[in-house]
């Protein structure tokens, strides 16, 4: 029988729930002091999170349990089999299930395993840090349903009525269409709802660009982080689990969920309310009250919480007083903080001191903002829970708030995109065709993480794949073309409802532009009156009507279905005005806005200058003025030409990238060739590029045949972005991808570019890209066939001996043209030295080899020295800096230097050659056949003992031009010998001596030699 049954452990008295531990104690001490029941409770509490966290180390945990004879070999095999097949989630679930069934010793061994592997598994480390910070208090937060009392019979009846009301309100999903007869389709929420990926963290809360662009730019990186097990996914039913809380509070929990426009925040709230009403989640909440900030905007007088609830849920009557007695059972949801017209300043300390700003009683009359503030800060009904949703742009308002759980909706990840289209189209053939088109178009596919974009794509592209007349039309390629067909389809269905759609659309566009300018997305009747618009069937095709109250048809507001549709309509208006007037000035002013509010608008304006985008709209709205189109093209041309010369700053680079987006949207090949056709260098160094940016960049580079250098250093481009650039990577002779997280998969793409017969790449910089031996095969294949590449930087990676052994195969290939190769910082040892030596002996092109910061050691350098003595060796420059070298290898190096006829630059810095090693090298330097021109002996524990040897050796040397003796232990005793060296070595151009132990007098004697010979430099 397994040691310790669950039943026996769970019967331990709750009085044992306290730990007598020091708050500063380590995790091992904490676990040692945990009794069996506490360890059981700890495991149960963190189980959901441990399932995710263990995915990165499930094999190790299972091995520990097997070693301790808790798991059988068969059980270990089953766990690891699932992991090996890629089913790590199932593997970790199985392991936890087995552990929970085997008793307390199994749990203890498992937690001890976690401690050992924590630093290699970030999510485990995060959990252990939380436990360590809380210490004995950990167990105070493990009872989610603390203090909940049974409902009385009258409250049970009320709860049932409330749940039924909410179920009816939330069980259907209203989806807008472009059809005249069926403008809104009603679906069952459970049939239509697509699961979103939510993470238990929030990205940077400050934005300077258009929020959709900025969030989209981070999306791929954050998804990759999750795949690397650094981000935790959180389900909506876990938002109020204490295990995810960043701020532990005994007075209730507040959660904030962030998401860009259209990502699904409101639909997620609807699903949460529906799931609670149907008993699927949050059983510890007795009542849930959901409010939209958009509705709260209509309350322009003081109110109390009682009336706020009764206004929306009148059936609570006089029973609310009973609810106040048990605030722990209440959940308040506030959706859309960014739409709230009042400001809630959580950093304002006056709210804590001024009675008029305090709201501590549900019966207290105050402003709506004071009620929301007081609920979130637990000053009103302390113990209740609050959920707030917001766009990222309003998150700064909550930075000082008492938020326990932060979460962000990432949107669709992986196959979730495909599932959305399968649900969107009833005809699965159409669904497959649309998704195939979207996936093949890099711009559209990347946008698909956002459900609203998927909805627009579905409405716009659907007709292309369902047409029965057999006409072949070009499917939209750019975002402007996509939105153009979206509006076209609405006009096609609604255009006959109005005599002059152009005039109405012009007024609608003016209102849309004013909204973009003021960051306004909700419009009221007053706005319609201001722009002389009348509610109509035609107008409802473009604007959604929203009721401010579910029980009132009086208060109606209007919004565009999505912010980007508002921006497109605003852009379209510029082409409907009879007189273009000052359009250039308008565009320049919009372009100068630093917060990026006009960025999408400007892309649409540029895109609408394209005939492909304009043509379908002109069918219903009339011809666009030729003068307007010309002025827009001229404006784009001027902006591109100006920005090409201004890429020194991050802002300049970002603006250039934006202008490239304008070029892409315009699809004007002549314009692109005229503006960027002769560009020689493109640098976006340090600028984070999304896959969409890469697709645009690929388009522009494709039209440029003069580019000599493409600098994408530190651009955070990952595999998907590199795939977008793939078709043009071969065009640039110089390609810098330093620190871009290219990874092994990215090298596969680069290798394809290198194998391209038209490849022009001569210099490729892949420094610091986390490359391993897994990509070596691809590199070997590319290097063996490429005829252009002569300079390859693979420094600061993890190729290791196995990777370099494979590379050496390519270097031995007579067709390999590599002249310069950097393998520094690659964890190399003497194991790969034989292969490198073989390559050096046979390669006829390699003249510069950098092996700095490795661990070749004396034995490795001895092997390399054999190659250096080979008369066929062509190496001219060799860097062996910091390779753990001692005097043991000096004899071999000296022998190589005496016979080698090509080596002119040797870096032996930061080793431990010592005096004896340098004395041996001096023998070689005395040899007239030695060709060394630059020698680096920096930091080699050299003392006065070898100064005479060096001076004697170099007095006859005719080749040495530079000598680095810095950071050694020379004193004034060496000054006479060093002066003689400098004076007699006539070829010497510079000598570096700083970091030694000279007195001021000794230093002056050496510095006095600076002018003794023209061009001589002495550095101390």
């Amino acid at each position: 029988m397994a040691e310790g049954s669950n039943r026996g452990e769970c019967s331990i008295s709750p009085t044992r729930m306290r730990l007598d531990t020091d708050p500063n104690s380590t995790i091992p001490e904490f676990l040692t002091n945990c009794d069996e029941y506490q360890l059981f409770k700890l495991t149960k509490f963190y189980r959901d999170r441990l399932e995710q966290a263990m995915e990165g180390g499930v094999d190790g945990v299972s091995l520990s349990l097997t070693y301790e004879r808790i798991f059988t070999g068969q059980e270990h095999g089953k766990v690891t089999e699932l992991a090996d097949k890629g089913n790590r989630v199932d593997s970790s679930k199985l392991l936890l299930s087995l552990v929970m069934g085997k008793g307390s010793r199994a749990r203890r061994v498992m937690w001890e395993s976690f401690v050992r592997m924590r630093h290699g598994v970030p999510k485990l480390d995060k959990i252990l840090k939380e436990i360590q910070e809380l210490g004995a208090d950990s167990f105070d937060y493990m009872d989610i349903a603390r203090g909940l009392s049974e409902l009385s019979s009258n409250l049970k009846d009320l709860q049932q009525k409330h749940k039924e009301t909410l179920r009816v309100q939330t069980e259907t999903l209203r989806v807008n269409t472009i059809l005249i007869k069926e403008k809104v389709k009603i679906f069952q929420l459970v049939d239509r709802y697509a699961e979103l990926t939510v993470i238990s963290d929030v990205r940077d809360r400050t934005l300077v660009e258009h929020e959709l662009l900025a969030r989209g730019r981070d999306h791929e990186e954050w998804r990759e982080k999750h795949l690397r097990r650094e981000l935790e996914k959180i389900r909506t039913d876990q938002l109020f689990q204490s295990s995810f809380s960043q701020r532990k509070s005994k007075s209730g929990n507040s959660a904030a969920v962030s998401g860009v426009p259209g990502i699904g925040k409101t639909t997620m709230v609807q699903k949460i309310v529906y799931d609670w009403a149907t008993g699927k989640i949050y059983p510890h909440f007795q009542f849930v009250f959901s409010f939209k900030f958009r509705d709260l905007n209509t309350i322009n007088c003081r109110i109390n919480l009682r009336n706020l609830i009764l206004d929306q849920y009148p059936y609570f009557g006089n029973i609310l007083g009973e609810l106040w007695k048990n605030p722990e059972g209440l959940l308040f949801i506030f959706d859309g903080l960014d739409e709230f017209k009042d400001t809630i300043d959580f950093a304002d300390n006056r709210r804590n001191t001024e009675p008029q700003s305090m709201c501590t009683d549900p019966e207290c009359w105050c402003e709506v903002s004071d009620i929301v503030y007081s609920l979130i800060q637990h000053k009103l009904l302390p113990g209740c829970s609050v959920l707030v949703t917001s766009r990222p742009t309003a998150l700064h308002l909550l930075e000082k708030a008492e938020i326990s759980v932060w979460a962000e909706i990432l949107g669709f990840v992986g196959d979730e995109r495909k599932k959305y289209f399968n649900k969107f189209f009833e005809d699965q053939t159409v669904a497959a065709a649309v998704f195939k088109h979207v996936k093949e178009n890099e711009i559209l596919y990347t946008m698909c993480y956002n459900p609203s974009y998927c909805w627009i794509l579905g409405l716009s592209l659907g007709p292309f794949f369902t047409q029965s007349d057999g006409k072949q039309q070009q499917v939209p390629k750019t975002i402007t073309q996509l939105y153009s067909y979206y509006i076209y389809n609405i006009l096609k269905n609604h255009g006959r409802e109005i005599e002059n759609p152009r005039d109405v659309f012009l007024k609608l566009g003016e209102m849309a532009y004013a909204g973009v300018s003021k960051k306004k997305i909700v419009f009221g009747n007053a706005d319609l009156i201001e722009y002389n618009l009348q509610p109509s069937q035609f107008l409802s095709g473009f604007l959604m009507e929203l009721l401010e109250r579910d029980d009132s048809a009086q208060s109606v507001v209007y919004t565009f279905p999505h912010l980007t549709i508002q921006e497109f309509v605003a852009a379209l208006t510029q082409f409907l005005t009879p007189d273009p007037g000052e359009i250039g000035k308008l565009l320049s002013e919009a372009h100068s806005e630093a917060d990026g509010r006009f960025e999408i608008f400007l892309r649409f304006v540029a895109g609408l200058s394209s005939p492909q985008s304009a043509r379908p709209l002109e069918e219903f709205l009339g011809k666009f003025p030729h003068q307007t189109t010309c002025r827009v093209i001229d404006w784009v041309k001027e902006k591109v030409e100006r920005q090409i010369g201004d890429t020194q700053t991050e802002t300049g680079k970002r603006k250039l990238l934006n202008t490239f987006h304008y070029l892409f949207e315009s699809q004007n090949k002549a314009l692109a060739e005229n503006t960027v056709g002769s560009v020689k260098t493109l640098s976006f160094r340090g600028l984070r590029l999304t896959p969409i940016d890469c697709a645009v960049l690929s388009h522009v580079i494709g039209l440029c045949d003069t580019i000599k250098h493409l600098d994408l250093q530190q651009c955070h481009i990952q595999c998907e972005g590199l795939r977008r650039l793939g078709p043009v990577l071969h065009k640039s002779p110089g390609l810098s991808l330093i620190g871009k997280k290219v990874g092994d998969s990215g090298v596969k793409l680069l290798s394809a570019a290198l194998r391209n017969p038209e490849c022009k790449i001569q210099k490729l910089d892949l420094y610091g890209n986390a490359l391993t031996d897994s990509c070596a095969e691809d590199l070997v294949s590319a290097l063996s066939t490429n005829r252009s590449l002569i300079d390859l930087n693979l420094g600061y990676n993890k190729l290791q001996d196995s990777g370099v052994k494979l590379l050496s195969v390519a270097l031995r290939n007579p067709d390999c043209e590599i002249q310069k190769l950097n393998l520094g910082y690659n964890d190399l040892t003497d194991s790969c030295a034989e292969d490198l030596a073989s390559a050096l002996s046979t390669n006829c092109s390699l003249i510069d080899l950098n092996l700095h910061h490795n661990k070749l050691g004396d034995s490795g350098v001895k092997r390399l020295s054999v190659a250096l003595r080979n008369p066929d060796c062509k190496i001219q420059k060799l860097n062996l800096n910091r390779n753990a070298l001692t005097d043991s290898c000096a004899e071999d190096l000296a022998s190589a230097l005496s016979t080698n006829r090509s080596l002119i630059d040797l870096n032996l810095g930061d080793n431990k050659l010592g005096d004896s090693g340098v004395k041996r090298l001096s023998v070689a330097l005395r040899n007239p056949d030695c060709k060394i021109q630059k020698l680096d002996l920096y930091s080699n524990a050299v003392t006065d003992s070898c100064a005479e040897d060096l001076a004697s050796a170099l007095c006859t040397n005719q080749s040495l031009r530079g000598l680095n003796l810095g950071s050694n232990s020379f004193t004034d005793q060496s000054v006479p010998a060093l002066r003689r060296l400098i004076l007699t070595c006539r070829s010497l151009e510079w000598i570096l001596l700083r970091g030694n132990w000279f007195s001021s007098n000794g230093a002056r004697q050496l510095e006095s030699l600076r002018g003794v010979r023209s061009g001589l430099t002495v550095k101390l």
Side-chain angles (χ1 to χ4, degrees):
M1 182 176 174
E3 184 250 330
S5 68
N6 286 351
R7 185 173 61 182
E9 293 166 326
C10 294
S11 65
I12 294 172
S13 169
T15 58
R16 298 184 60 189
M17 285 299 292
R18 299 297 303 168
L19 276 181
D20 185 19
T21 54
D22 181 343
N24 297 317
S25 66
T26 63
I27 282 290
E29 290 171 338
F30 176 89
L31 293 174
T32 300
N33 288 317
C34 278
D35 62 30
E36 294 176 358
Y37 178 61
Q38 288 166 337
L39 210 55
F40 167 77
K41 187 151 184 136
L42 195 72
T43 310
K44 190 175 179 182
F45 180 71
Y46 280 105
R47 183 165 181 167
D48 283 339
R49 290 179 66 186
L50 287 174
E51 282 180 3
Q52 284 190 63
M54 271 203 307
E55 289 176 32
V58 66
D59 313 64
V61 180
S62 182
L63 194 62
S64 295
L65 289 160
T66 307
Y67 181 77
E68 293 292 334
R69 299 188 177 182
I70 293 169
F71 276 10
T72 65
Q74 189 177 9
E75 287 167 335
H76 173 65
K78 186 62 179 175
V79 170
T80 53
E81 180 188 353
L82 286 170
D84 292 342
K85 288 180 178 178
N87 301 327
R88 289 193 166 269
V89 176
D90 294 336
S91 177
S92 59
K93 282 182 178 178
L94 175 61
L95 186 144
L96 273 168
S97 177
L98 289 170
V99 166
M100 290 304 282
K102 287 180 179 288
S104 60
R105 183 164 170 263
R107 286 189 282 277
R108 194 169 295 279
V109 169
M110 180 180 72
W111 280 98
E112 287 168 353
S113 300
F114 293 164
V115 173
R116 286 195 297 273
M117 66 172 55
R118 65 184 295 183
H119 298 299
V121 186
K123 289 184 185 179
L124 273 180
D125 191 46
K126 183 178 178 183
I127 292 171
L128 292 172
K129 279 178 180 174
E130 287 176 14
I131 295 171
Q132 186 167 357
E133 286 169 8
L134 286 167
D137 291 335
S138 295
F139 301 103
D140 288 343
Y141 299 98
M142 293 190 187
D143 189 359
I144 300 173
R146 59 187 180 278
L148 290 187
S149 56
E150 281 294 316
L151 287 175
S152 60
S153 59
N154 61 329
L155 282 182
K156 279 184 179 177
D157 292 340
L158 180 64
Q159 184 192 61
Q160 199 56 42
K161 178 178 176 60
H162 185 52
K163 283 189 171 185
E164 180 60 21
T165 301
L166 293 181
R167 184 191 66 76
V168 171
Q169 288 177 354
T170 57
E171 68 182 350
T172 56
L173 192 64
R174 296 167 60 84
V175 178
N176 286 64
T177 73
I178 52 176
L179 304 173
I180 188 168
K181 291 180 180 177
E182 198 177 14
K183 289 180 184 175
V184 176
K185 277 191 174 183
I186 308 296
F187 296 93
Q188 290 296 307
L189 178 67
V190 291
D191 295 335
R192 192 74 173 191
Y193 186 76
E195 288 297 332
L196 296 158
T197 294
V198 185
I199 55 172
S200 61
D201 207 340
V202 175
R203 293 173 279 179
D204 294 337
R205 298 170 202 163
T206 54
L207 297 174
V208 292
E209 297 178 72
H210 186 289
E211 57 191 6
L212 279 176
L213 283 178
R215 290 303 171 181
R217 189 164 289 123
D218 291 336
H219 180 67
E220 290 306 316
E221 181 180 350
W222 279 72
R223 185 176 69 173
E224 289 297 321
K225 264 195 171 184
H226 170 66
L227 295 176
R228 293 199 305 271
R229 314 292 182 234
E230 290 179 19
L231 283 179
E232 289 185 282
K233 288 177 73 171
I234 181 171
R235 301 191 308 270
T236 51
D237 63 317
Q238 296 172 322
L239 287 172
F240 295 97
Q241 268 194 18
S242 300
S243 66
F244 282 98
S245 294
Q246 296 179 16
R247 188 191 299 245
K248 306 298 182 184
S249 170
K250 295 180 183 180
S251 59
N253 286 318
S254 294
V257 177
S258 164
V260 299
I263 202 74
K265 297 182 295 296
T266 298
T267 309
M268 184 196 74
V269 166
Q270 182 178 341
K271 185 69 161 54
I272 287 173
V273 174
Y274 176 79
D275 284 348
W276 176 80
T278 53
K280 292 176 183 170
I281 63 171
Y282 301 150
H284 53 289
F285 291 134
Q286 294 164 350
F287 292 94
V288 173
F289 300 106
S290 180
F291 302 93
K292 288 184 171 67
F293 278 106
R294 184 187 294 152
D295 294 339
L296 300 180
N297 285 337
T298 62
I299 303 173
N300 53 13
C301 61
R302 295 171 76 80
I303 195 170
N304 58 23
L305 181 59
R306 171 186 288 278
N307 284 293
L308 194 65
I309 293 174
L310 290 177
D311 192 32
Q312 197 153 322
Y313 308 105
Y315 45 83
F316 276 87
N318 296 320
I319 304 180
L320 282 173
E322 289 293 310
L323 272 58
W324 307 151
K325 295 176 184 177
N326 189 23
E328 289 83 0
L330 304 179
L331 168 62
F332 293 92
I333 301 175
F334 294 98
D335 182 31
L337 175 62
D338 49 281
E339 296 180 26
F340 194 34
K341 67 181 180 182
D342 295 331
T343 300
I344 310 176
D345 187 0
F346 289 90
D348 186 358
N349 291 325
R350 289 177 300 173
R351 281 189 178 272
N352 299 324
T353 55
E354 295 179 0
Q356 64 269 27
S357 297
M358 289 280 283
C359 181
T360 58
D361 187 334
E363 312 291 335
C364 174
W365 293 82
C366 52
E367 301 295 331
V368 173
S369 60
D370 295 327
I371 294 175
V372 176
Y373 170 89
S374 299
L375 284 170
I376 292 174
Q377 297 297 80
H378 314 304
K379 298 182 184 301
L380 174 59
L381 296 178
C384 75
S385 295
V386 182
L387 170 62
V388 183
T389 71
S390 173
R391 290 183 183 179
T393 45
L395 269 189
H396 66 280
L397 298 172
L398 294 171
E399 283 185 338
K400 301 294 184 182
E402 294 284 329
I403 301 295
S404 307
V405 175
W406 293 94
E408 180 171 0
I409 303 175
L410 277 191
F412 295 144
V413 173
D415 286 342
E416 291 169 351
R417 305 173 185 188
K418 185 177 182 180
K419 288 175 183 174
Y420 178 92
F421 286 104
N422 288 341
K423 288 189 174 186
F424 187 93
F425 295 103
E426 293 177 7
D427 187 336
Q428 292 303 291
T429 306
V430 175
V434 170
F435 182 72
K436 181 174 182 291
H437 173 74
V438 168
K439 194 169 184 180
E440 289 171 353
N441 186 314
E442 55 271 16
I443 298 279
L444 303 184
Y445 186 65
T446 307
M447 290 167 60
C448 276
Y449 75 90
N450 189 307
S452 282
Y453 278 131
C454 291
W455 171 74
I456 293 168
L457 283 163
L459 290 177
S460 305
L461 296 176
F464 284 92
F465 298 95
T466 53
Q467 286 175 350
S468 56
D469 54 12
K471 289 182 181 177
Q472 289 294 316
Q473 286 184 287
Q474 186 180 356
V475 185
K477 179 181 180 182
T478 69
I479 302 174
T480 309
Q481 289 173 17
L482 178 78
Y483 279 68
S484 177
Y485 275 101
Y486 170 79
I487 298 296
Y488 165 81
N489 282 315
I490 296 176
L491 290 169
K492 186 177 179 181
N493 284 282
H494 295 263
R496 297 184 184 85
E497 298 170 2
I498 197 161
E499 193 172 312
N500 194 338
R502 185 179 183 121
D503 287 348
V504 176
F505 213 92
L506 179 59
K507 295 169 187 175
L508 180 66
E510 287 171 350
M511 186 176 80
Y513 179 81
V516 173
S517 180
K518 298 171 186 174
K519 290 190 170 181
K520 181 177 180 178
I521 61 169
V522 178
F523 305 92
N525 283 313
D527 296 301
L528 265 61
I529 292 168
E530 181 182 348
Y531 291 96
N532 199 21
L533 289 165
Q534 298 289 333
S536 64
Q537 281 283 93
F538 178 76
L539 202 62
S540 65
F542 304 95
L543 289 176
M544 291 167 56
E545 293 182 4
L546 300 171
L547 296 180
E548 289 292 351
R549 282 285 188 274
D550 290 336
D551 58 346
S552 169
Q554 301 288 317
S555 183
V556 178
V557 293
Y558 305 88
T559 182
F560 289 89
H562 193 253
L563 175 59
T564 47
I565 293 174
Q566 179 179 334
E567 291 165 318
F568 182 84
V569 172
L572 180 53
T573 298
Q574 310 310 315
F575 292 84
L576 300 180
T577 309
D579 179 15
E582 299 285 318
I583 189 169
K585 182 181 177 183
L586 180 144
L587 297 177
S588 293
E589 287 174 354
H591 186 69
S592 66
E593 283 287 348
D595 64 2
R597 73 182 70 181
F598 285 110
E599 195 46 55
I600 300 294
F601 162 81
L602 289 170
R603 292 185 189 180
F604 282 142
V605 171
L608 284 165
S609 69
S610 160
Q612 297 102 305
S613 297
R615 198 174 294 118
L617 295 171
E618 287 177 329
E619 183 179 327
F620 294 97
L621 300 175
K623 284 284 184 183
F624 291 177
H626 181 66
Q627 192 178 8
T628 302
T629 302
C630 290
R631 288 191 183 182
V632 169
I633 291 172
D634 289 342
W635 181 83
V636 172
K637 183 174 185 288
E638 185 233 326
K639 281 288 171 264
V640 176
E641 290 174 343
R642 179 183 296 179
Q643 283 304 138
I644 279 177
D646 178 22
T647 56
Q648 300 305 308
T649 64
E650 183 174 340
T651 302
K653 291 169 187 169
R654 175 59 60 199
K655 285 186 175 179
L656 177 61
L657 185 61
N658 284 335
T659 58
F660 281 2
H661 276 274
Y662 306 156
L663 284 177
F664 177 78
E665 289 299 320
S666 74
Q667 291 291 296
N668 190 327
K669 187 177 180 182
L671 174 62
E673 289 175 342
N674 287 337
T675 51
V676 299
S678 59
V679 169
K680 288 184 170 55
T681 299
L682 277 178
S683 174
F684 293 98
R685 181 182 296 194
L687 198 67
R688 181 170 291 172
L689 301 179
T690 66
I692 290 180
D693 293 332
C694 292
V696 168
L697 200 53
S698 178
H699 171 78
V700 172
I701 294 172
L703 300 172
C704 177
D705 292 319
T706 58
I707 189 164
K708 299 295 182 188
H709 185 67
L710 178 60
D711 187 351
L712 300 175
Q713 187 177 148
Q714 299 293 342
C715 287
H716 301 274
I717 299 176
Q718 295 172 345
C719 196
E720 188 170 340
L722 207 58
R723 190 176 291 112
R724 307 299 179 234
L725 285 165
V728 297
L729 287 175
H730 69 281
K731 295 189 68 173
S732 174
L735 180 58
S736 177
L737 299 168
I738 294 176
K740 272 184 45 179
K741 303 179 184 176
V742 166
D744 296 331
S745 54
V747 169
K748 288 182 182 291
L749 298 167
L750 280 169
S751 297
L754 289 169
R755 288 193 297 268
N756 188 320
E758 297 180 5
C759 180
K760 297 178 182 177
I761 300 175
Q762 296 177 15
K763 182 177 180 181
L764 177 60
D765 200 334
L766 291 171
Y767 183 90
N769 270 290
L771 308 183
T772 72
D773 58 352
S774 296
C775 72
E777 289 279 5
D778 297 284
L779 280 172
V780 169
S781 170
L783 296 180
S784 299
T785 57
N786 182 279
R787 297 293 175 271
S788 63
L789 189 66
I790 58 175
D791 186 340
L792 178 61
N793 186 350
L794 295 171
Y796 205 62
N797 284 295
K798 298 176 182 177
L799 294 174
Q800 299 182 317
D801 296 328
S802 52
V804 170
K805 285 181 179 184
L806 288 169
L807 277 179
S808 297
V809 174
L811 293 173
R812 288 196 295 269
N813 189 315
D815 293 326
C816 178
E817 303 290 341
I818 289 289
Q819 296 177 16
K820 183 177 180 181
L821 178 63
N822 183 358
L823 293 171
Y825 279 108
N826 263 290
D827 295 330
L828 309 184
T829 71
D830 59 349
S831 295
C832 70
E834 195 74 58
D835 298 88
L836 276 174
S838 172
L840 292 180
S841 299
T842 57
N843 187 287
C844 295
S845 61
L846 189 64
I847 58 175
D848 185 339
L849 178 61
N850 191 339
L851 296 169
H852 76 290
H853 285 76
N854 282 300
K855 298 173 185 175
L856 293 175
D858 295 326
S859 56
V861 169
K862 285 181 179 183
R863 292 186 177 107
L864 287 178
S865 297
V866 174
L868 291 174
R869 288 195 295 270
N870 189 313
D872 293 326
C873 177
K874 307 298 181 186
I875 282 291
Q876 297 177 15
K877 185 176 181 180
L878 179 62
N879 189 342
L880 293 170
N881 181 284
R882 195 177 287 192
N883 261 284
L885 309 184
T886 71
D887 58 351
S888 296
C889 70
E891 196 73 58
D892 298 89
L893 277 172
S895 171
L897 292 179
S898 298
T899 57
N900 187 284
R901 300 291 177 270
S902 61
L903 189 65
I904 58 175
D905 186 337
L906 178 61
N907 187 340
L908 296 170
D910 224 352
N911 284 296
K912 295 178 182 178
L913 294 175
D915 293 328
S916 57
V918 172
K919 284 180 180 182
R920 290 189 178 105
L921 286 177
S922 297
V923 175
L925 294 172
R926 194 179 284 115
N927 189 316
D929 291 327
C930 178
K931 304 299 181 184
I932 285 291
Q933 296 179 14
K934 180 183 174 185
L935 179 62
D936 195 331
L937 294 172
Y938 170 90
S939 187
N940 259 288
V942 181
T943 72
D944 297 328
S945 297
C946 70
E948 283 292 343
D949 295 87
L950 272 174
S952 173
L954 293 174
C955 67
T956 57
N957 187 287
Q958 301 300 312
S959 62
L960 192 69
R961 295 180 181 176
L963 178 62
N964 186 352
L965 295 173
S967 292
N968 282 297
S969 302
F970 292 116
T971 69
D972 287 358
Q973 186 181 332
S974 298
V975 170
L978 291 171
R979 281 177 59 86
R980 191 165 70 256
L981 183 158
I982 294 168
L983 289 167
T984 57
C985 185
R986 309 298 297 177
S987 60
L988 193 67
E989 296 175 357
W990 61 266
I991 183 169
L992 198 155
L993 294 165
R994 64 168 61 107
N996 283 289
W997 297 355
F998 301 120
S999 69
S1000 55
N1001 179 49
R1004 276 196 300 273
Q1005 290 186 55
L1006 291 167
E1007 287 173 336
S1008 68
L1009 298 177
R1010 284 175 177 164
V1012 74
R1013 197 165 56 245
S1014 176
L1016 177 65
T1017 301
V1018 180
K1019 294 182 180 179
L1020 281 105

